[in-house]
Amino acid sequence: MRIYPTHKKYPCKACRFIRKKCTWRDKTTKECDRCVMKDIECVPVYDTTELYLYMAENGDKEVQELWDIIDELDSSMRQLDAAKADLEQRLINKAQQPLSEWKLSITNGTLQLETPIQTMDELSMFTQASIKYLSPFSGLFKKQPVRFECRVITVSLGIPTVIHRRELIKPRRKRFNNYTIDCNSDSEVPSLNHRAIINHLIALYFEHYIPYVGLLHVPTFLDHYSSVDDPMDSALVLAVCVDALIVTRNHLIYTPNEICALIETFYDRCRDLLFDMYDDPDRKLDVIITTSLLQQYTSDVLLNYREANHLVTVALLVCGDLLKERDELSPVEWMLLQRNHFHLQMFSQFFNMMFEHKVDFTLPMSMGRMVVLDDEPEKTKGCILLINEVFRLFGSEYISSTLGKISNVFYTRYCDVFIEEIMQYEPVIKEWWTSLPPQFRLCDDPFDPEAYKLFKYSVPANYLIPFTVLHVLTGVITSSILQPHIVQTSENTVTMDAIQLVRSKLISLALNSCKTLVYLLKENWNPSVCIMPTFGLTIMNYTIYCLEKLSSCDATPFPTELLGIVKKSLSAMSKSLIPAGHEVHSRSPLLMAYLEKPENSPFEIYEQYPLPGFVMTWDILFSSVNLLAEQHLTANF
């Protein structure tokens, strides 16, 4: 006997997760309307009495285990409800307390606070009061920032930044000349038939990549492709092939050497055609899209940052010219310009951050929010809307300014941040979170300490990505400013106790985000379930950075358990994502040698591999994790 809950009484697992009731247009179907709309499996939640009857009949141990999990989740929900009730009561009690008073004075034309601040609550109340009542007089305040130091350069972010800057001025040597396609390979795709190879790459590209980034309009591109007599004469087609050989690599049947030979063939021809298009005023959009599609190869794989930066700079100038002709563009052309302009801006800002100490995620006002077209797949529409929301946060003045200040910490410098700015962080993030459309909000409180438990199972991408971005941002910012250095003076009325309270809050946020990211990586960003597994490497890198900063913080015990999970997750990811023949030694000697003698550039060694960017990525990941493991893990891990 198989028992299903009634439609009216028991919500399914997904609806129960967001604390909503199931609804059915068709009472005869098991799947509720919400699960049908989200295209996910509708898993019923069983009633206790009925479930135990069922278990008594067939003794299914797996059902018992599932019920134990449900009991655990129910217990967690009751604890959260109790905590919520306790918080509400404390807020009521707090509201009934007498209002705090602060004495202010004006000395030498500046407004000073005479009443010392002793607690976190006092600091929070004064911050909110000053914003509400004193903002018109902000020019009178004599503020003193807190200096946050960096004691040790991190392997995950600091060393790559140093490497990039030192290598920028060096031209990259021409590569891959010795790599060839194996004519006797058992590959199902003809090795020397360019048209057949390109057909194969385009099919993979539009299946596994373009739906999630929307950099091309599929019908328009396919019309163009069918109209060319020889695809080797189309820069746009060749750029698609170059990008496809990188982003769909796990779906290809070629060896790394064969991939390199193909990339070199396509890229050299594409670059020649691209330079020819610079002088054609009717090919501006082609120049922009082609350059946009070449960036992952030139910067992330070839490690030729000088050429990548040059191509981006020229393409952005072309974008500026084409924006002046906006009224003459069709909806499809405007969509393509918006998205590829955005993509180029991201690479340009990366180069500015790495090479010129500039962090600015604000986008040109002329771009606005990226539009979606009616004939685009629903998957693409959802991804573009999600990208808009994410960069609404990163492009805000507060977040962009904060990231700009703390970026110095990445490479053993200090940063100065006002206490008021730190206090604003959580309210700013929560305001953004509550403003997200419901289909992007996983839970009500993204900072809930129990949130990591939500990721014991796979979570849909529309919920997963915003939550991941929020905790990557929180982890990086809070873990970067855990080492305050302040000199007590008569002008500084914020006490050391208050500074330590702020530090305790930052540690709590950093640990919570780090724990959340670790469980995200374990269950939702591994290659077996992730739609874009290489994005998981970026999350892994930032998670390791948070652990490195926590390791250098003497005010909290190091989360050894989290490092053990990260090490196992990295090992699992490497088995699926490292190209054959691109493995790095477990002790990661390349970066270690570079630390001891900067003249020993690891680029020289990376370039001996067919795909040097992948070697550098894995070398950085393994180096940072193994260094942490040597400090904190026993031989049992």
Side-chain angles (χ1 to χ4, degrees), residues 331-356:
V332 171
E333 290 172 331
W334 173 241
M335 177 273 285
L336 291 171
L337 173 59
Q338 262 196 323
R339 295 181 191 177
N340 286 278
H341 186 191
F342 175 90
H343 194 228
L344 291 167
Q345 280 287 148
M346 292 303 98
F347 276 96
S348 176
Q349 288 165 353
F350 166 76
F351 296 139
N352 288 338
M353 180 174 63
M354 298 302 291
F355 307 131
E356 300 181 26

PDB file of all heavy atoms in Angstrom, residues 331-356:
ATOM      1  N   PRO A 331      15.611  45.543 -31.696  1.00  0.00           N
ATOM      2  CA  PRO A 331      15.591  44.961 -30.338  1.00  0.00           C
ATOM      3  C   PRO A 331      16.652  43.883 -30.136  1.00  0.00           C
ATOM      4  O   PRO A 331      17.270  43.812 -29.072  1.00  0.00           O
ATOM      5  CB  PRO A 331      14.172  44.390 -30.231  1.00  0.00           C
ATOM      6  CG  PRO A 331      13.357  45.236 -31.152  1.00  0.00           C
ATOM      7  CD  PRO A 331      14.265  45.573 -32.295  1.00  0.00           C
ATOM      8  N   VAL A 332      16.876  43.055 -31.169  1.00  0.00           N
ATOM      9  CA  VAL A 332      17.889  42.003 -31.042  1.00  0.00           C
ATOM     10  C   VAL A 332      19.285  42.623 -30.949  1.00  0.00           C
ATOM     11  O   VAL A 332      20.109  42.215 -30.118  1.00  0.00           O
ATOM     12  CB  VAL A 332      17.819  41.017 -32.231  1.00  0.00           C
ATOM     13  CG1 VAL A 332      19.004  40.059 -32.209  1.00  0.00           C
ATOM     14  CG2 VAL A 332      16.511  40.225 -32.183  1.00  0.00           C
ATOM     15  N   GLU A 333      19.564  43.621 -31.771  1.00  0.00           N
ATOM     16  CA  GLU A 333      20.878  44.269 -31.747  1.00  0.00           C
ATOM     17  C   GLU A 333      21.122  44.967 -30.409  1.00  0.00           C
ATOM     18  O   GLU A 333      22.226  44.916 -29.865  1.00  0.00           O
ATOM     19  CB  GLU A 333      20.980  45.271 -32.904  1.00  0.00           C
ATOM     20  CG  GLU A 333      21.054  44.613 -34.276  1.00  0.00           C
ATOM     21  CD  GLU A 333      20.961  45.620 -35.401  1.00  0.00           C
ATOM     22  OE1 GLU A 333      20.329  46.684 -35.218  1.00  0.00           O
ATOM     23  OE2 GLU A 333      21.521  45.352 -36.487  1.00  0.00           O
ATOM     24  N   TRP A 334      20.082  45.623 -29.882  1.00  0.00           N
ATOM     25  CA  TRP A 334      20.224  46.302 -28.599  1.00  0.00           C
ATOM     26  C   TRP A 334      20.482  45.285 -27.479  1.00  0.00           C
ATOM     27  O   TRP A 334      21.320  45.511 -26.598  1.00  0.00           O
ATOM     28  CB  TRP A 334      18.989  47.119 -28.287  1.00  0.00           C
ATOM     29  CG  TRP A 334      18.982  47.710 -26.899  1.00  0.00           C
ATOM     30  CD1 TRP A 334      18.083  47.472 -25.905  1.00  0.00           C
ATOM     31  CD2 TRP A 334      19.929  48.638 -26.354  1.00  0.00           C
ATOM     32  NE1 TRP A 334      18.411  48.173 -24.771  1.00  0.00           N
ATOM     33  CE2 TRP A 334      19.538  48.903 -25.022  1.00  0.00           C
ATOM     34  CE3 TRP A 334      21.081  49.249 -26.864  1.00  0.00           C
ATOM     35  CZ2 TRP A 334      20.254  49.764 -24.198  1.00  0.00           C
ATOM     36  CZ3 TRP A 334      21.793  50.110 -26.030  1.00  0.00           C
ATOM     37  CH2 TRP A 334      21.376  50.358 -24.720  1.00  0.00           C
ATOM     38  N   MET A 335      19.778  44.157 -27.506  1.00  0.00           N
ATOM     39  CA  MET A 335      19.995  43.112 -26.506  1.00  0.00           C
ATOM     40  C   MET A 335      21.419  42.597 -26.568  1.00  0.00           C
ATOM     41  O   MET A 335      22.099  42.456 -25.537  1.00  0.00           O
ATOM     42  CB  MET A 335      19.003  41.970 -26.727  1.00  0.00           C
ATOM     43  CG  MET A 335      19.179  40.779 -25.786  1.00  0.00           C
ATOM     44  SD  MET A 335      20.388  39.547 -26.372  1.00  0.00           S
ATOM     45  CE  MET A 335      19.451  38.749 -27.665  1.00  0.00           C
ATOM     46  N   LEU A 336      21.918  42.326 -27.772  1.00  0.00           N
ATOM     47  CA  LEU A 336      23.282  41.815 -27.925  1.00  0.00           C
ATOM     48  C   LEU A 336      24.310  42.842 -27.484  1.00  0.00           C
ATOM     49  O   LEU A 336      25.321  42.496 -26.844  1.00  0.00           O
ATOM     50  CB  LEU A 336      23.525  41.421 -29.387  1.00  0.00           C
ATOM     51  CG  LEU A 336      22.751  40.201 -29.897  1.00  0.00           C
ATOM     52  CD1 LEU A 336      22.911  40.058 -31.408  1.00  0.00           C
ATOM     53  CD2 LEU A 336      23.228  38.936 -29.193  1.00  0.00           C
ATOM     54  N   LEU A 337      24.085  44.106 -27.804  1.00  0.00           N
ATOM     55  CA  LEU A 337      25.005  45.157 -27.378  1.00  0.00           C
ATOM     56  C   LEU A 337      25.029  45.258 -25.859  1.00  0.00           C
ATOM     57  O   LEU A 337      26.104  45.312 -25.237  1.00  0.00           O
ATOM     58  CB  LEU A 337      24.589  46.498 -27.987  1.00  0.00           C
ATOM     59  CG  LEU A 337      25.374  47.725 -27.487  1.00  0.00           C
ATOM     60  CD1 LEU A 337      26.864  47.562 -27.779  1.00  0.00           C
ATOM     61  CD2 LEU A 337      24.832  49.002 -28.122  1.00  0.00           C
ATOM     62  N   GLN A 338      23.864  45.270 -25.220  1.00  0.00           N
ATOM     63  CA  GLN A 338      23.785  45.373 -23.764  1.00  0.00           C
ATOM     64  C   GLN A 338      24.577  44.265 -23.068  1.00  0.00           C
ATOM     65  O   GLN A 338      25.413  44.516 -22.202  1.00  0.00           O
ATOM     66  CB  GLN A 338      22.333  45.299 -23.320  1.00  0.00           C
ATOM     67  CG  GLN A 338      21.664  46.628 -23.045  1.00  0.00           C
ATOM     68  CD  GLN A 338      20.393  46.426 -22.249  1.00  0.00           C
ATOM     69  OE1 GLN A 338      19.653  45.457 -22.438  1.00  0.00           O
ATOM     70  NE2 GLN A 338      20.127  47.333 -21.343  1.00  0.00           N
ATOM     71  N   ARG A 339      24.290  43.039 -23.453  1.00  0.00           N
ATOM     72  CA  ARG A 339      24.874  41.904 -22.739  1.00  0.00           C
ATOM     73  C   ARG A 339      26.373  41.772 -22.966  1.00  0.00           C
ATOM     74  O   ARG A 339      27.126  41.487 -22.036  1.00  0.00           O
ATOM     75  CB  ARG A 339      24.145  40.616 -23.132  1.00  0.00           C
ATOM     76  CG  ARG A 339      22.696  40.619 -22.700  1.00  0.00           C
ATOM     77  CD  ARG A 339      21.985  39.328 -23.067  1.00  0.00           C
ATOM     78  NE  ARG A 339      20.551  39.463 -22.873  1.00  0.00           N
ATOM     79  CZ  ARG A 339      19.660  38.527 -23.166  1.00  0.00           C
ATOM     80  NH1 ARG A 339      20.063  37.365 -23.670  1.00  0.00           N
ATOM     81  NH2 ARG A 339      18.370  38.736 -22.959  1.00  0.00           N
ATOM     82  N   ASN A 340      26.814  41.979 -24.201  1.00  0.00           N
ATOM     83  CA  ASN A 340      28.245  41.846 -24.465  1.00  0.00           C
ATOM     84  C   ASN A 340      29.023  43.053 -23.947  1.00  0.00           C
ATOM     85  O   ASN A 340      30.182  42.913 -23.545  1.00  0.00           O
ATOM     86  CB  ASN A 340      28.479  41.629 -25.961  1.00  0.00           C
ATOM     87  CG  ASN A 340      28.094  40.226 -26.395  1.00  0.00           C
ATOM     88  OD1 ASN A 340      28.851  39.281 -26.244  1.00  0.00           O
ATOM     89  ND2 ASN A 340      26.879  40.088 -26.940  1.00  0.00           N
ATOM     90  N   HIS A 341      28.382  44.218 -23.944  1.00  0.00           N
ATOM     91  CA  HIS A 341      28.993  45.392 -23.302  1.00  0.00           C
ATOM     92  C   HIS A 341      29.190  45.113 -21.814  1.00  0.00           C
ATOM     93  O   HIS A 341      30.253  45.386 -21.242  1.00  0.00           O
ATOM     94  CB  HIS A 341      28.089  46.610 -23.513  1.00  0.00           C
ATOM     95  CG  HIS A 341      28.687  47.897 -23.025  1.00  0.00           C
ATOM     96  ND1 HIS A 341      27.963  49.059 -22.926  1.00  0.00           N
ATOM     97  CD2 HIS A 341      29.936  48.196 -22.588  1.00  0.00           C
ATOM     98  CE1 HIS A 341      28.733  50.019 -22.464  1.00  0.00           C
ATOM     99  NE2 HIS A 341      29.937  49.524 -22.257  1.00  0.00           N
ATOM    100  N   PHE A 342      28.177  44.559 -21.187  1.00  0.00           N
ATOM    101  CA  PHE A 342      28.248  44.182 -19.774  1.00  0.00           C
ATOM    102  C   PHE A 342      29.383  43.180 -19.533  1.00  0.00           C
ATOM    103  O   PHE A 342      30.182  43.329 -18.599  1.00  0.00           O
ATOM    104  CB  PHE A 342      26.902  43.573 -19.363  1.00  0.00           C
ATOM    105  CG  PHE A 342      26.867  43.040 -17.959  1.00  0.00           C
ATOM    106  CD1 PHE A 342      26.492  43.854 -16.907  1.00  0.00           C
ATOM    107  CD2 PHE A 342      27.197  41.720 -17.694  1.00  0.00           C
ATOM    108  CE1 PHE A 342      26.458  43.362 -15.612  1.00  0.00           C
ATOM    109  CE2 PHE A 342      27.159  41.216 -16.412  1.00  0.00           C
ATOM    110  CZ  PHE A 342      26.791  42.049 -15.357  1.00  0.00           C
ATOM    111  N   HIS A 343      29.482  42.178 -20.394  1.00  0.00           N
ATOM    112  CA  HIS A 343      30.512  41.151 -20.269  1.00  0.00           C
ATOM    113  C   HIS A 343      31.904  41.767 -20.389  1.00  0.00           C
ATOM    114  O   HIS A 343      32.824  41.446 -19.609  1.00  0.00           O
ATOM    115  CB  HIS A 343      30.295  40.099 -21.354  1.00  0.00           C
ATOM    116  CG  HIS A 343      31.059  38.835 -21.149  1.00  0.00           C
ATOM    117  ND1 HIS A 343      31.802  38.235 -22.147  1.00  0.00           N
ATOM    118  CD2 HIS A 343      31.218  38.050 -20.063  1.00  0.00           C
ATOM    119  CE1 HIS A 343      32.356  37.135 -21.684  1.00  0.00           C
ATOM    120  NE2 HIS A 343      32.027  36.993 -20.423  1.00  0.00           N
ATOM    121  N   LEU A 344      32.080  42.660 -21.340  1.00  0.00           N
ATOM    122  CA  LEU A 344      33.369  43.331 -21.522  1.00  0.00           C
ATOM    123  C   LEU A 344      33.700  44.231 -20.331  1.00  0.00           C
ATOM    124  O   LEU A 344      34.858  44.333 -19.915  1.00  0.00           O
ATOM    125  CB  LEU A 344      33.349  44.153 -22.807  1.00  0.00           C
ATOM    126  CG  LEU A 344      33.302  43.341 -24.117  1.00  0.00           C
ATOM    127  CD1 LEU A 344      32.956  44.246 -25.283  1.00  0.00           C
ATOM    128  CD2 LEU A 344      34.634  42.626 -24.360  1.00  0.00           C
ATOM    129  N   GLN A 345      32.673  44.896 -19.777  1.00  0.00           N
ATOM    130  CA  GLN A 345      32.886  45.746 -18.612  1.00  0.00           C
ATOM    131  C   GLN A 345      33.411  44.932 -17.435  1.00  0.00           C
ATOM    132  O   GLN A 345      34.280  45.379 -16.685  1.00  0.00           O
ATOM    133  CB  GLN A 345      31.574  46.426 -18.211  1.00  0.00           C
ATOM    134  CG  GLN A 345      31.198  47.630 -19.035  1.00  0.00           C
ATOM    135  CD  GLN A 345      32.053  48.842 -18.723  1.00  0.00           C
ATOM    136  OE1 GLN A 345      32.323  49.665 -19.592  1.00  0.00           O
ATOM    137  NE2 GLN A 345      32.475  48.966 -17.487  1.00  0.00           N
ATOM    138  N   MET A 346      32.889  43.713 -17.269  1.00  0.00           N
ATOM    139  CA  MET A 346      33.331  42.872 -16.162  1.00  0.00           C
ATOM    140  C   MET A 346      34.816  42.519 -16.295  1.00  0.00           C
ATOM    141  O   MET A 346      35.564  42.541 -15.323  1.00  0.00           O
ATOM    142  CB  MET A 346      32.490  41.602 -16.091  1.00  0.00           C
ATOM    143  CG  MET A 346      31.040  41.818 -15.696  1.00  0.00           C
ATOM    144  SD  MET A 346      30.871  42.665 -14.103  1.00  0.00           S
ATOM    145  CE  MET A 346      30.586  44.363 -14.620  1.00  0.00           C
ATOM    146  N   PHE A 347      35.240  42.206 -17.504  1.00  0.00           N
ATOM    147  CA  PHE A 347      36.657  41.902 -17.714  1.00  0.00           C
ATOM    148  C   PHE A 347      37.505  43.153 -17.532  1.00  0.00           C
ATOM    149  O   PHE A 347      38.594  43.097 -16.955  1.00  0.00           O
ATOM    150  CB  PHE A 347      36.875  41.308 -19.108  1.00  0.00           C
ATOM    151  CG  PHE A 347      36.633  39.835 -19.178  1.00  0.00           C
ATOM    152  CD1 PHE A 347      35.416  39.332 -19.590  1.00  0.00           C
ATOM    153  CD2 PHE A 347      37.613  38.929 -18.794  1.00  0.00           C
ATOM    154  CE1 PHE A 347      35.176  37.963 -19.636  1.00  0.00           C
ATOM    155  CE2 PHE A 347      37.390  37.563 -18.830  1.00  0.00           C
ATOM    156  CZ  PHE A 347      36.172  37.074 -19.254  1.00  0.00           C
ATOM    157  N   SER A 348      37.012  44.295 -17.996  1.00  0.00           N
ATOM    158  CA  SER A 348      37.751  45.540 -17.836  1.00  0.00           C
ATOM    159  C   SER A 348      37.923  45.881 -16.361  1.00  0.00           C
ATOM    160  O   SER A 348      39.010  46.306 -15.923  1.00  0.00           O
ATOM    161  CB  SER A 348      37.019  46.678 -18.555  1.00  0.00           C
ATOM    162  OG  SER A 348      37.664  47.921 -18.351  1.00  0.00           O
ATOM    163  N   GLN A 349      36.873  45.685 -15.576  1.00  0.00           N
ATOM    164  CA  GLN A 349      36.948  45.977 -14.152  1.00  0.00           C
ATOM    165  C   GLN A 349      37.857  44.984 -13.428  1.00  0.00           C
ATOM    166  O   GLN A 349      38.510  45.330 -12.441  1.00  0.00           O
ATOM    167  CB  GLN A 349      35.535  45.980 -13.556  1.00  0.00           C
ATOM    168  CG  GLN A 349      34.745  47.204 -14.003  1.00  0.00           C
ATOM    169  CD  GLN A 349      33.251  47.077 -13.754  1.00  0.00           C
ATOM    170  OE1 GLN A 349      32.763  46.029 -13.362  1.00  0.00           O
ATOM    171  NE2 GLN A 349      32.513  48.151 -13.992  1.00  0.00           N
ATOM    172  N   PHE A 350      37.897  43.746 -13.924  1.00  0.00           N
ATOM    173  CA  PHE A 350      38.835  42.775 -13.369  1.00  0.00           C
ATOM    174  C   PHE A 350      40.273  43.232 -13.603  1.00  0.00           C
ATOM    175  O   PHE A 350      41.111  43.195 -12.699  1.00  0.00           O
ATOM    176  CB  PHE A 350      38.614  41.409 -14.010  1.00  0.00           C
ATOM    177  CG  PHE A 350      39.720  40.419 -13.755  1.00  0.00           C
ATOM    178  CD1 PHE A 350      39.845  39.782 -12.529  1.00  0.00           C
ATOM    179  CD2 PHE A 350      40.663  40.136 -14.741  1.00  0.00           C
ATOM    180  CE1 PHE A 350      40.873  38.882 -12.290  1.00  0.00           C
ATOM    181  CE2 PHE A 350      41.690  39.238 -14.514  1.00  0.00           C
ATOM    182  CZ  PHE A 350      41.798  38.605 -13.282  1.00  0.00           C
ATOM    183  N   PHE A 351      40.568  43.682 -14.823  1.00  0.00           N
ATOM    184  CA  PHE A 351      41.915  44.160 -15.119  1.00  0.00           C
ATOM    185  C   PHE A 351      42.255  45.382 -14.265  1.00  0.00           C
ATOM    186  O   PHE A 351      43.383  45.506 -13.773  1.00  0.00           O
ATOM    187  CB  PHE A 351      42.048  44.499 -16.611  1.00  0.00           C
ATOM    188  CG  PHE A 351      41.882  43.323 -17.526  1.00  0.00           C
ATOM    189  CD1 PHE A 351      41.172  43.436 -18.719  1.00  0.00           C
ATOM    190  CD2 PHE A 351      42.426  42.095 -17.209  1.00  0.00           C
ATOM    191  CE1 PHE A 351      41.014  42.338 -19.563  1.00  0.00           C
ATOM    192  CE2 PHE A 351      42.282  40.999 -18.035  1.00  0.00           C
ATOM    193  CZ  PHE A 351      41.570  41.123 -19.214  1.00  0.00           C
ATOM    194  N   ASN A 352      41.281  46.287 -14.084  1.00  0.00           N
ATOM    195  CA  ASN A 352      41.522  47.463 -13.250  1.00  0.00           C
ATOM    196  C   ASN A 352      41.815  47.064 -11.802  1.00  0.00           C
ATOM    197  O   ASN A 352      42.665  47.663 -11.140  1.00  0.00           O
ATOM    198  CB  ASN A 352      40.310  48.401 -13.286  1.00  0.00           C
ATOM    199  CG  ASN A 352      40.164  49.114 -14.615  1.00  0.00           C
ATOM    200  OD1 ASN A 352      41.131  49.248 -15.368  1.00  0.00           O
ATOM    201  ND2 ASN A 352      38.959  49.557 -14.924  1.00  0.00           N
ATOM    202  N   MET A 353      41.098  46.071 -11.326  1.00  0.00           N
ATOM    203  CA  MET A 353      41.279  45.619  -9.947  1.00  0.00           C
ATOM    204  C   MET A 353      42.638  44.960  -9.761  1.00  0.00           C
ATOM    205  O   MET A 353      43.335  45.198  -8.774  1.00  0.00           O
ATOM    206  CB  MET A 353      40.166  44.652  -9.553  1.00  0.00           C
ATOM    207  CG  MET A 353      40.269  44.117  -8.127  1.00  0.00           C
ATOM    208  SD  MET A 353      38.842  43.127  -7.658  1.00  0.00           S
ATOM    209  CE  MET A 353      38.976  41.765  -8.828  1.00  0.00           C
ATOM    210  N   MET A 354      43.022  44.133 -10.732  1.00  0.00           N
ATOM    211  CA  MET A 354      44.264  43.381 -10.599  1.00  0.00           C
ATOM    212  C   MET A 354      45.494  44.252 -10.825  1.00  0.00           C
ATOM    213  O   MET A 354      46.518  44.068 -10.167  1.00  0.00           O
ATOM    214  CB  MET A 354      44.281  42.217 -11.595  1.00  0.00           C
ATOM    215  CG  MET A 354      43.178  41.189 -11.386  1.00  0.00           C
ATOM    216  SD  MET A 354      43.177  40.437  -9.750  1.00  0.00           S
ATOM    217  CE  MET A 354      44.671  39.466  -9.829  1.00  0.00           C
ATOM    218  N   PHE A 355      45.407  45.205 -11.741  1.00  0.00           N
ATOM    219  CA  PHE A 355      46.605  45.910 -12.167  1.00  0.00           C
ATOM    220  C   PHE A 355      46.683  47.367 -11.716  1.00  0.00           C
ATOM    221  O   PHE A 355      47.759  47.947 -11.697  1.00  0.00           O
ATOM    222  CB  PHE A 355      46.727  45.853 -13.686  1.00  0.00           C
ATOM    223  CG  PHE A 355      46.650  44.453 -14.236  1.00  0.00           C
ATOM    224  CD1 PHE A 355      45.805  44.146 -15.284  1.00  0.00           C
ATOM    225  CD2 PHE A 355      47.410  43.433 -13.687  1.00  0.00           C
ATOM    226  CE1 PHE A 355      45.731  42.849 -15.791  1.00  0.00           C
ATOM    227  CE2 PHE A 355      47.336  42.143 -14.181  1.00  0.00           C
ATOM    228  CZ  PHE A 355      46.493  41.846 -15.235  1.00  0.00           C
ATOM    229  N   GLU A 356      45.542  47.978 -11.362  1.00  0.00           N
ATOM    230  CA  GLU A 356      45.557  49.401 -11.033  1.00  0.00           C
ATOM    231  C   GLU A 356      44.934  49.703  -9.677  1.00  0.00           C
ATOM    232  O   GLU A 356      44.633  50.843  -9.360  1.00  0.00           O
ATOM    233  CB  GLU A 356      44.837  50.200 -12.125  1.00  0.00           C
ATOM    234  CG  GLU A 356      45.460  50.055 -13.505  1.00  0.00           C
ATOM    235  CD  GLU A 356      44.726  50.873 -14.553  1.00  0.00           C
ATOM    236  OE1 GLU A 356      44.098  51.870 -14.175  1.00  0.00           O
ATOM    237  OE2 GLU A 356      44.784  50.516 -15.739  1.00  0.00           O
TER     238      GLU A 356
END
